[in-house]
Amino acid sequence: MFCLVDCNSFYASCEQVFRPDLRNKPVVVLSNNDCFIVARSAQAKAMGIGDLQTMFDIKSWMQQQNVTIFSSNYALYGDLSARVMNTLRLFSSRIEIYSIDEMFLYLEEISSPQNSPTQISESMNDYGKHIKKTIFQHTAMPVSVGIAPTKTLAKLANRAAKIIPKCQGVGVLDTSKKWDWVKKRTPVNKIWGISSRFSARLAELNIYTALELANSDPKMIRRYFNVCVERTIEELNGHACLSLEEIPTPKKQIYCSRSFAQKTKQLPPIQDAISLYVARACEKLRAQQSMSASLQILLYTASYESNYYNSHQVIQLPYPSDDTRLISAIARTAVQHLFKPGVAYIKAGVGLLELSDKKHQQLDMFHPGQSTKTDQLMTVIDKINTHYGRNSIYVAAEGVHKKWAMRQAYRSPSYTSQWNELPEIKC
Amino acid sequence: MKKYLLSLFTHSVPAGFPSPADDYLDRSLDLNTYLIKHPAATYLARAKGDSMEGCGIFDGDLLIVDRSIEAQHGQIIIAAIDGQLTCKILDKNKQCLTSANEHFTPIRISEFSDLVIEGVVIHSVRHHVLP
Ligand SMILES: [Mg+2]
């Protein structure tokens, strides 16, 4: 059996972990730069606050209504996500981390010949409830649990668990009778892997619900769409085609881009920002033990500017590298060439492309590549920054003033990752 | 407190044979694994106030809190009281939460229907020299 555990309104729930006063209250989390609403607690959703609504539109209304507003705090979300995942290991050694707030578990069959099907169903439901209760006790994170014989059905079970109040956050779809009931009530665009583009084309074939898709001819669907949609049909009918992806695949590209707190027409702050993004991207690069062979620089102006202008450039590195200093120096020069005087820029970014495994570097006789000394220095920088907090040590080019830094007016303390931001306990 | 790296290093052997003592090489002591049994369920916090001084918890002390263990009678716990994380002693016999300071009156558990236990304080750390 597959089990999908999905954290409810993840970012908003993270903000409530060390703030019991905010549980069961309206809470919203803003995007980078405090622009849009990206997460809402159940109470905030019930008040009609929409996903991706702009802060500008409803800020004063939310303040009147006592909605608590947070800037995003990824240090906190990352730590709590890891805690939930590690707690799930109590239930299964086979886990797929699907996203920051969703994990698939493979559960060994709970059935035994002495038990009737109803008893097995009940025990699976109890098991789901046990998972949900344990996660909350250990991490204060509310989750929904879906259990079914395939990953696609486990997704549907999880959705049902969230929508149907009687489920109390746990959905088990172990018999065709149960999954047909849910499929009849699920529009195709809510099925895992069916995009809105596909749903529109399915509608042309008079397929609107998950049940209609499940009952359609897989061969015909394959001709109209692709083998993935055909596989979805199999999965919807209880035949597992997708297995757990237990080993995370290293990213093929790493991007880091952000909007500035204010527009700028000056080169130096943009170069400083670029250096910082390079540092972030290189940290990620080293964490997954890759080297990059080329670098992309992106510069954006606001789309409503009269001289609306986006530009980018890809630069080949002299040799595959994960050296913040080398990549940063190249990036700063590249920005200088892209930069146009008089243009107001709003956002910049870097991408590390052509990634390869650090352990399997091809040695080039004429270009010796990155030195061992550099490797050691980078390891030390990463260690210091993990230990003493971000930016304890950085390449001087990242700039000291950071006027362009993200707007984060409502950021919560990094309760679990900074010594001076630990939760305070009243004694 | 000074930090000591408590590792035993074997002597180098010129001929390159491994020393038999290598089998007995100790790893350096790790406070994390010694003090924290359930890392995913354990958080660190700071004590604020004087109500727990009788238990040796003073203002500014570091609290190590395990959410995963079931709170027992007499243990020091963290409870959400009126939405605020608060340190108390759990008295299961008298059904109340007490402080370790006579100036604070016990809180009856029944009065707080929404009282939630947010973990057990498994260790507290006094800083005799600030870190
Ligand atoms: Mg979620």
Side-chain angles (χ1 to χ4, degrees):
Chain A
M1 282 286 185
F2 288 93
C3 170
L4 176 67
V5 176
D6 183 4
C7 303
N8 301 343
S9 316
F10 180 60
Y11 295 166
S13 298
C14 286
E15 297 294 352
Q16 293 165 322
V17 164
F18 293 103
R19 292 285 306 269
D21 57 314
L22 296 181
R23 293 188 198 151
N24 303 311
K25 300 262 166 64
V27 169
V28 299
V29 177
L30 306 174
S31 65
N32 274 347
N33 237 3
D34 294 349
C35 285
F36 308 101
I37 289 168
V38 291
R40 303 154 291 156
S41 68
Q43 291 72 21
K45 283 178 194 168
M47 291 170 74
I49 300 172
D51 193 22
L52 296 179
Q53 240 184 310
T54 57
M55 179 64 170
F56 183 79
D57 290 338
I58 55 165
K59 181 180 169 182
S60 46
W61 179 81
M62 285 198 299
Q63 282 167 341
Q64 271 166 28
Q65 300 287 317
N66 282 324
V67 177
T68 311
I69 303 168
F70 288 101
S71 305
S72 23
N73 181 349
Y74 288 103
L76 179 66
Y77 310 155
D79 181 81
L80 294 176
S81 167
R83 286 166 181 263
V84 171
M85 287 166 197
N86 286 325
T87 308
L88 282 174
R89 290 183 204 284
L90 296 172
F91 301 99
S92 177
S93 55
R94 297 188 53 195
I95 290 182
E96 174 187 339
I97 296 162
Y98 182 66
S99 71
I100 192 167
D101 71 332
E102 283 174 280
M103 301 108 210
F104 280 107
L105 276 73
Y106 188 78
L107 304 178
E108 299 300 331
E109 296 301 326
I110 316 171
S111 62
S112 89
Q114 292 96 316
N115 293 338
S116 71
T118 344
Q119 281 174 323
I120 295 166
S121 273
E122 268 172 28
S123 71
M124 269 193 276
N125 202 286
D126 287 345
Y127 198 64
K129 283 191 177 137
H130 177 51
I131 293 177
K132 183 177 161 61
K133 195 174 157 237
T134 307
I135 299 289
F136 191 81
Q137 185 178 352
H138 288 213
T139 67
M141 178 59 61
V143 299
S144 301
V145 179
I147 301 176
T150 72
K151 283 170 93 176
T152 307
L153 283 173
K155 274 267 191 186
L156 281 192
N158 196 294
R159 186 169 176 271
K162 278 204 173 74
I163 297 174
I164 306 167
K166 219 181 97 188
C167 288
Q168 295 181 311
V170 177
V172 177
L173 296 180
D174 56 333
T175 61
S176 57
K177 203 179 138 204
K178 282 190 208 161
W179 69 58
D180 281 354
W181 190 91
V182 170
K183 281 189 285 190
K184 206 189 245 173
R185 288 157 181 83
T186 308
V188 280
N189 66 331
K190 299 293 180 199
I191 304 170
W192 189 38
I194 303 292
S195 63
S196 52
R197 195 166 55 89
F198 277 174
S199 345
R201 282 169 61 196
L202 285 166
E204 288 168 19
L205 301 168
N206 282 324
I207 298 171
Y208 299 98
T209 67
L211 188 64
E212 286 163 345
L213 180 63
N215 291 337
S216 60
D217 175 16
K219 294 280 161 317
M220 181 271 286
I221 290 293
R222 184 176 183 162
R223 253 182 294 128
Y224 275 94
F225 297 93
N226 57 34
V227 66
C228 296
V229 182
E230 186 193 10
R231 223 181 278 151
T232 301
I233 295 178
E234 292 292 328
E235 288 253 320
L236 284 173
N237 287 314
H239 310 298
C241 301
L242 304 168
S243 53
L244 281 194
E245 289 171 23
E246 290 162 71
I247 308 142
T249 37
K251 289 202 189 78
K252 303 238 165 57
Q253 289 155 358
I254 295 172
Y255 277 91
C256 181
S257 69
R258 257 169 246 173
S259 307
F260 306 140
Q262 60 210 56
K263 286 183 275 183
T264 180
K265 290 185 176 182
Q266 284 169 349
L267 178 60
I270 298 178
Q271 283 183 309
D272 287 351
I274 286 283
S275 291
L276 178 74
Y277 304 159
V278 167
R280 290 278 179 279
C282 284
E283 270 174 30
K284 289 185 195 161
L285 184 71
R286 295 192 289 267
Q288 68 168 45
Q289 312 233 344
S290 299
M291 302 276 251
S292 167
S294 57
L295 165 75
Q296 186 177 28
I297 305 288
L298 308 127
L299 271 182
Y300 306 88
T301 62
S303 54
Y304 50 81
E305 293 274 312
S306 54
N307 46 5
Y308 173 54
Y309 173 78
N310 288 340
S311 56
H312 78 107
Q313 190 190 0
V314 177
I315 309 120
Q316 208 65 34
L317 299 177
Y319 47 83
S321 173
D322 61 6
D323 183 348
T324 307
R325 297 163 306 169
L326 173 79
I327 302 176
S328 172
I330 294 173
R332 290 175 75 88
T333 321
V335 179
Q336 206 172 342
H337 291 302
L338 280 180
F339 178 82
K340 299 225 158 137
V343 175
Y345 291 96
I346 188 73
K347 186 179 174 179
V350 300
L352 299 177
L353 318 173
E354 282 186 73
L355 306 192
S356 54
D357 190 348
K358 183 162 187 171
K359 275 175 257 147
H360 301 107
Q361 288 301 316
Q362 288 219 328
L363 289 179
D364 185 326
M365 236 211 276
F366 303 102
H367 301 277
Q370 189 165 300
S371 73
T372 333
K373 247 192 187 147
T374 300
D375 285 350
Q376 285 162 351
L377 177 66
M378 290 303 134
T379 313
V380 169
I381 289 183
D382 288 342
K383 267 198 186 142
I384 290 175
N385 281 337
T386 336
H387 228 82
Y388 297 99
R390 274 267 168 91
N391 301 330
S392 297
I393 187 168
Y394 52 89
V395 176
E398 283 173 37
V400 187
H401 299 298
K402 300 190 180 166
K403 228 182 276 161
W404 40 266
M406 274 202 299
R407 217 176 346 214
Q408 284 193 317
Y410 312 93
R411 193 178 68 78
S412 56
S414 295
Y415 296 107
T416 56
S417 56
Q418 293 294 336
W419 286 111
N420 51 3
E421 297 180 27
L422 299 181
E424 289 187 353
I425 309 286
K426 188 182 164 197
C427 282
Chain B
M1 200 172 76
K2 274 186 188 170
K3 282 181 188 164
Y4 295 96
L5 191 64
L6 297 171
S7 247
L8 293 175
F9 291 101
T10 50
H11 304 286
S12 63
V13 180
F17 287 105
S19 154
D22 278 347
D23 292 343
Y24 302 96
L25 187 78
D26 273 341
R27 299 189 43 191
S28 56
L29 296 176
D30 179 8
L31 273 178
N32 270 319
T33 51
Y34 180 63
L35 297 178
I36 299 173
K37 302 300 171 208
H38 310 108
T42 300
Y43 62 95
L44 303 177
R46 223 25 109 180
K48 282 277 167 259
D50 57 5
S51 76
M52 296 300 284
E53 288 187 352
C55 299
I57 295 177
F58 292 82
D59 189 77
D61 283 2
L62 183 72
L63 304 178
I64 306 179
V65 185
D66 189 336
R67 290 187 56 99
S68 70
I69 50 182
E70 203 67 50
Q72 304 297 321
H73 171 71
Q75 278 184 321
I76 302 170
I77 55 124
I78 305 295
I81 301 174
D82 287 336
Q84 191 169 27
L85 294 172
T86 312
C87 187
K88 292 280 173 189
I89 302 161
L90 177 64
D91 188 332
K92 279 199 166 173
N93 300 341
K94 291 186 188 149
Q95 282 292 299
C96 64
L97 299 177
T98 59
S99 297
N101 182 328
E102 55 192 19
H103 297 107
F104 291 79
T105 44
I107 298 169
R108 291 211 42 90
I109 291 175
S110 52
E111 290 170 28
F112 287 87
S113 50
D114 65 337
L115 180 131
V116 187
I117 293 184
E118 302 281 337
V120 174
V121 178
I122 50 172
H123 309 284
S124 66
V125 179
R126 293 239 59 210
H127 304 298
H128 299 285
V129 174
L130 283 180

